[in-house]
Each structure stands twice: as C-alpha cells, then as structure tokens.
Amino acid sequence: MIMRTGIYPGTFDPITVGHMDIIQRALKVVDKLIIGVALDTGKAPVFALATRARLVREDIKKLGADAKRIEVKPFHGLLMNFAEESGACIVIRGLRAVSDFEYEFQMACMNSRLNPDIETVFLTASENTHFISSRFVKQIGRLGGDISSFVSPNVAKHLKAHFSKK
C-alpha cells in the first residue's frame, strides 16, 4: 500500500482554530501530514521558529489518535525542496477568501514548475473560520482584545504573555 504524505506549510504565527480546521480536514486526504513551520517567509513573526513549532505540537495533541499521523517540522528554503526531502506528494493550502486565490494559484503554478510530481490541493476554510487570520489574531491580542474564540487557550496564554512584555 502506498502511503500518501502531504505537507501543510505556513508560519503558524500563531496557529489558529482555522489552521486546526484545515489540519483535521487534510487528514481525510492524506495518510500522513507534515506541518511545515516556515522560517523564510518575509514576515516578522511574533514567536521564534522553535516556539511556533512547539505551539503547533501542543495544539495537535487534542486530535487524539489522529495526532499520531502528524509530524511537525520546522523548515527553511524552498517548499518544494522540503516536500521532496520529506517524501510528500501533496501540498495542502487553505483558502479563506477569493483574495487568497490569486496568490495561492500563482504559488501552486510555480511549485508545479519546480516539481510537477507534487500536487497542490486547496481546502477552503469552513464557514466558521474563513475570517480568522494570524495577523488579525495578533493585532487583537496586541490591543488587549479577546482572542479566545480564534486560538487555543494555550496559544492565547502565550500571546498574552508576549504582549504583556511590550
């Protein structure tokens, strides 16, 4: 039996309930899911790479037996190189809004040019999570707002601690 390995890449700064929704749904498509926590994003993350990876690992524990099918791996460099090194045949990307599509479509086309053997699969955000972005969560948290419905209690605690230092 061939094992289908997928990669769900992102900065996960921080991981949100929207990310968790995509993770759970991606497990219906692949046998093994690697969550690639990216270093080289052009963004200025709030949390260090190791912290982001740790928060993802902690959040996926609540998936029970499905958590055993998930591996969290920090990475840097080209996604296609990481996918090849990891033995993945699928890249999972979440789409929140139509505005995400153009960028994601261009990225999928470029990735396909770099490695045509790795397919990109788009999963649309659920109706309850399509408006959640890490950027908005950080902004609300920075301003002292309630982020408890957007992230796990663990992530909320870490964000609150981070912003209280500022």
Side-chain angles (χ1 to χ4, degrees):
M1 184 169 128
I2 296 174
M3 186 168 189
R4 190 172 293 250
T5 299
I7 289 187
Y8 179 33
T11 53
F12 302 99
D13 185 48
I15 185 167
T16 68
V17 296
H19 291 125
M20 289 299 295
D21 175 61
I22 295 293
I23 289 166
Q24 289 175 284
R25 293 173 44 228
L27 289 170
K28 296 176 183 176
V29 178
V30 298
D31 301 305
K32 176 183 177 182
L33 182 64
I34 297 169
I35 300 174
V37 182
L39 174 65
D40 305 328
T41 64
K43 299 178 182 177
V46 166
F47 295 119
L49 181 63
T51 302
R52 289 183 278 134
R54 188 182 82 245
L55 290 172
V56 172
R57 284 185 191 100
E58 291 168 355
D59 269 18
I60 64 169
K61 284 179 186 175
K62 65 183 163 196
L63 298 178
D66 279 339
K68 293 180 173 123
R69 296 174 42 212
I70 301 171
E71 182 179 358
V72 179
K73 293 170 77 173
F75 79 99
H76 62 86
L78 285 174
L79 172 60
M80 287 296 100
N81 291 345
F82 177 63
E84 289 171 19
E85 292 164 8
S86 300
C89 61
I90 295 173
V91 172
I92 304 287
R93 297 297 296 169
L95 294 175
R96 288 184 309 252
V98 174
S99 58
D100 288 346
F101 181 76
E102 185 175 354
Y103 172 79
E104 293 294 344
F105 179 72
Q106 289 175 334
M107 177 108 58
C109 290
M110 186 59 72
N111 286 339
S112 179
R113 184 60 79 95
L114 293 172
N115 187 333
D117 295 328
I118 299 175
E119 293 293 335
T120 298
V121 173
F122 296 114
L123 296 177
T124 57
S126 297
E127 65 183 60
N128 297 335
T129 64
H130 68 89
F131 60 91
I132 300 172
S133 73
S134 294
R135 182 177 49 125
F136 287 151
V137 168
K138 288 183 288 194
Q139 186 173 7
I140 293 166
R142 186 178 295 115
L143 297 172
D146 180 10
I147 57 172
S148 63
S149 63
F150 310 129
V151 296
S152 69
N154 183 45
V155 170
K157 177 184 74 172
H158 279 82
L159 276 172
K160 186 175 180 177
H162 175 81
F163 291 128
S164 68
K165 294 178 200 172
K166 301 279 177 193

